[in-house]
Amino acid sequence: MPGYETVLKPVGVISLMMVGVVCSSMVYTVHSEWRWLHSSMLMLEFGVIVRCVWLVCNGAKAPEWSETCGMKQCDKCGLSREQRTHHCTACASCTVRYDHHCKVLGSCVGGPNYKAFFLFIAYTFVFVLHFLCTVALYALPGGRGSNPPPLTLPRFFFGIFTVAIAFVASIFLIYLMDTLTHCLGTMSRNRTTHEDKYRTPEIFDTGNITKNIKVFLGGSTAKWFIP
């Protein structure tokens, strides 16, 4: 029976490296008394993002099957097939409450790690938005930066690099917003992306948005945003 091992794909590694570059660039683009506060907050946000990525890539296993558990057995991998369980050919494994296979992180997203995936998207959105707001407020001409250092050739090229990163981040922010809206929409109806794609009957919707979201993020609302 194939095991379940997940490693970050090259695009995932590059994405994390880009986040690190953006985070480190804040130290040089912010010229105000709040520069270290912004940098510290970004480092904290980046740490949460890395934690979420680790949880996504290490939490999509389905429980092992046994004849006494009353669940169907997958004829492809031999694992249990609860309701809403789907076999992913890319991972060669079943995932409970399967949502989709994330090609960026190289992992299936479902019941055990959906919360981590949602928080990964949410905190990455916050991180990118924080970066763009800080650049707009302090780094751009006419901003609120105080006592900017004299312009030198290295700083000029670094400024161009920062603007280019900000442009890419703006496009990425739109993608994150779309993904975040999709996640909130499906959770509020107790649906998965896979169920929406194949238009399965909406038999799991409780009629209460809070109860539906608790299925994905946990019963304690106080812990919804804690990875």
Side-chain angles (χ1 to χ4, degrees):
M1 181 173 60
Y4 189 94
E5 295 182 0
T6 301
V7 295
L8 286 176
K9 302 297 183 183
V11 66
V13 175
I14 293 174
S15 300
L16 282 179
M17 289 177 62
M18 288 298 295
V19 171
V21 169
V22 171
C23 189
S24 62
S25 71
M26 292 305 304
V27 177
Y28 300 96
T29 59
V30 175
H31 306 297
S32 76
E33 62 274 16
W34 302 104
R35 60 185 297 179
W36 295 111
L37 176 61
H38 284 290
S39 298
S40 300
M41 290 176 63
L42 283 167
M43 288 299 295
L44 177 62
E45 293 162 10
F46 180 66
V48 174
I49 291 171
V50 172
R51 168 65 175 169
C52 291
V53 169
W54 186 88
L55 290 173
V56 169
C57 294
N58 292 275
K61 276 189 177 180
E64 292 186 3
W65 181 83
S66 66
E67 293 183 351
T68 60
C69 69
M71 295 184 288
K72 294 182 179 180
Q73 185 179 13
C74 177
D75 55 359
K76 296 179 181 178
C77 64
L79 295 180
S80 59
R81 291 295 298 268
E82 294 180 357
Q83 267 190 321
R84 310 176 81 176
T85 300
H86 179 74
H87 182 88
C88 175
T89 55
C91 293
S93 180
C94 285
T95 301
V96 180
R97 207 185 319 117
Y98 175 85
D99 190 84
H100 70 285
H101 179 83
C102 181
K103 295 181 180 180
V104 175
L105 301 180
S107 175
C108 281
V109 176
N113 66 351
Y114 186 89
K115 175 183 175 180
F117 175 79
F118 172 74
L119 293 182
F120 165 67
I121 298 296
Y123 282 115
T124 303
F125 176 83
V126 171
F127 181 93
V128 175
L129 183 63
H130 184 187
F131 167 73
L132 291 174
C133 289
T134 308
V135 169
L137 286 174
Y138 298 104
L140 296 181
R144 299 182 181 180
S146 60
N147 300 322
L151 181 64
T152 60
L153 189 60
R155 289 190 179 278
F156 173 75
F157 283 110
F158 189 81
I160 294 177
F161 171 76
T162 302
V163 171
I165 290 293
F167 176 76
V168 174
S170 300
I171 298 175
F172 188 44
L173 188 70
I174 297 174
Y175 168 77
L176 289 171
M177 185 182 300
D178 179 68
T179 305
L180 195 59
T181 303
H182 172 76
C183 290
L184 290 172
T186 53
M187 284 194 299
S188 65
R189 295 180 290 117
N190 198 356
R191 300 274 289 174
T192 65
T193 300
H194 184 264
E195 290 167 349
D196 260 3
K197 180 179 180 180
Y198 292 97
R199 299 180 180 180
T200 58
E202 297 191 15
I203 60 176
F204 302 105
D205 189 353
T206 63
N208 184 289
I209 293 178
T210 303
K211 289 182 179 180
N212 287 339
I213 294 178
K214 283 182 177 181
V215 173
F216 295 88
L217 302 185
S220 176
T221 54
K223 297 180 180 180
W224 279 2
F225 296 97
I226 301 176

